[in-house]
Amino acid sequence: MNAIWENIVDFMPSLLQGTVITIELTILSLILSLILGLIVALGRLSKNKVINRICSIYISIVRGTPLLVQMMYVYFVFPSFGITLTAFQSAIIALSFNEGGYLAETFRAGIKAVPTGQMEAAKAVGMDYSKAMQRIILPQAFSNVLPAIGNSAIILIKNSSLAAVITVTEVMHQGNLLAASTYQNMLIFTLVAIIYWILHYPLAFAVNYLEKRGGKRNVTASQH
């Protein structure tokens, strides 16, 4: 038993170092994917057929190809076009590109869930489309999709493990290095799994809270 604890103490600094990279990957990718997803969602709702089609193709590519392929394409193929990125930058771009496609549909559903009368009322008081979206529609849509955004963050934490394939030194990559040098596979990957679980738990708790809060709000609204 003492030997196990000694190994844990030896392994944890490297794993925690990788955990910091995992958190950075998740936060940066989530921010970029939220921005990208919102832009694409607005494009999908646009009456401009060209913009709408481009956004539809982007979503189709995201859904139709594995994230691992997207990540390797950014890291290994982009240099052929003169775009050389670090492994960390490639992972952020691939994760943001992938999750942005799914968030686009989430945002689109959230926007469409806002009653059409809200836009009509905004126009009636003199707001143009852009101002009505900023002040009336998007705040309500964002509130509607908060639980889904929380789920996206959880997915990003787990998907960030794929960055190990392109040598990003996140927690999974650190686990692989330790396992290869010590052969303590069971202990190391148990620790890696526990770290991912710990990272995901606060987000899962927040998502459950938001879903319950949203459910109570809907019940109250229906009673009125």
Side-chain angles (χ1 to χ4, degrees):
M1 193 67 183
N2 289 335
I4 293 175
W5 282 111
E6 287 175 5
N7 285 332
I8 291 174
V9 171
D10 289 338
F11 297 154
M12 283 310 294
S14 294
L15 293 178
L16 290 176
Q17 183 180 358
T19 301
V20 173
I21 303 298
T22 294
I23 293 171
E24 291 176 350
L25 271 177
T26 301
I27 293 174
L28 292 173
S29 299
L30 182 61
I31 292 171
L32 291 175
S33 62
L34 284 170
I35 296 170
L36 180 59
L38 181 57
I39 292 172
V40 174
L42 294 174
R44 289 279 282 118
L45 294 169
S46 173
K47 294 181 180 179
N48 186 306
K49 292 183 178 180
V50 175
I51 293 176
N52 193 298
R53 185 60 178 166
I54 291 172
C55 292
S56 297
I57 291 172
Y58 159 66
I59 292 172
S60 177
I61 292 172
V62 167
R63 288 180 166 182
T65 58
L67 171 58
L68 181 58
V69 173
Q70 296 166 14
M71 195 170 293
M72 295 184 76
Y73 194 93
V74 173
Y75 187 58
F76 292 110
V77 179
F78 273 27
S80 300
F81 301 103
I83 305 172
T84 303
L85 302 167
T86 65
F88 185 79
Q89 292 169 338
S90 298
I92 289 176
I93 290 173
L95 288 167
S96 303
F97 176 86
N98 183 271
E99 196 58 37
Y102 291 101
L103 281 172
E105 291 297 270
T106 298
F107 277 125
R108 188 167 74 97
I111 292 170
K112 294 187 76 172
V114 178
T116 55
Q118 298 283 333
M119 178 61 78
E120 294 170 0
K123 289 181 177 179
V125 297
M127 291 187 186
D128 58 19
Y129 178 82
S130 177
K131 190 170 291 186
M133 287 295 291
Q134 292 176 25
R135 297 186 178 181
I136 307 297
I137 306 301
L138 290 182
Q140 294 182 68
F142 189 77
S143 178
N144 291 338
V145 302
L146 270 177
I149 292 173
N151 282 321
S152 293
I154 293 172
I155 292 170
L156 276 171
I157 288 175
K158 293 185 287 187
N159 284 347
S160 68
S161 63
L162 294 175
V165 176
I166 58 173
T167 69
V168 177
T169 55
E170 44 72 64
V171 66
M172 187 65 189
H173 186 264
Q174 294 286 19
N176 286 334
L177 292 176
L178 287 171
S181 61
T182 65
Y183 302 103
Q184 297 286 329
N185 295 330
M186 180 181 293
L187 177 59
I188 290 168
F189 290 116
T190 298
L191 291 173
V192 169
I194 290 171
I195 288 171
Y196 277 114
W197 180 79
I198 291 172
L199 290 177
H200 121 281
Y201 188 79
L203 288 170
F205 180 83
V207 168
N208 289 334
Y209 171 77
L210 290 170
E211 288 176 343
K212 289 178 181 178
R213 184 179 177 184
K216 290 179 181 179
R217 186 169 59 243
N218 291 336
V219 169
T220 303
S222 64
Q223 291 174 344
H224 287 290

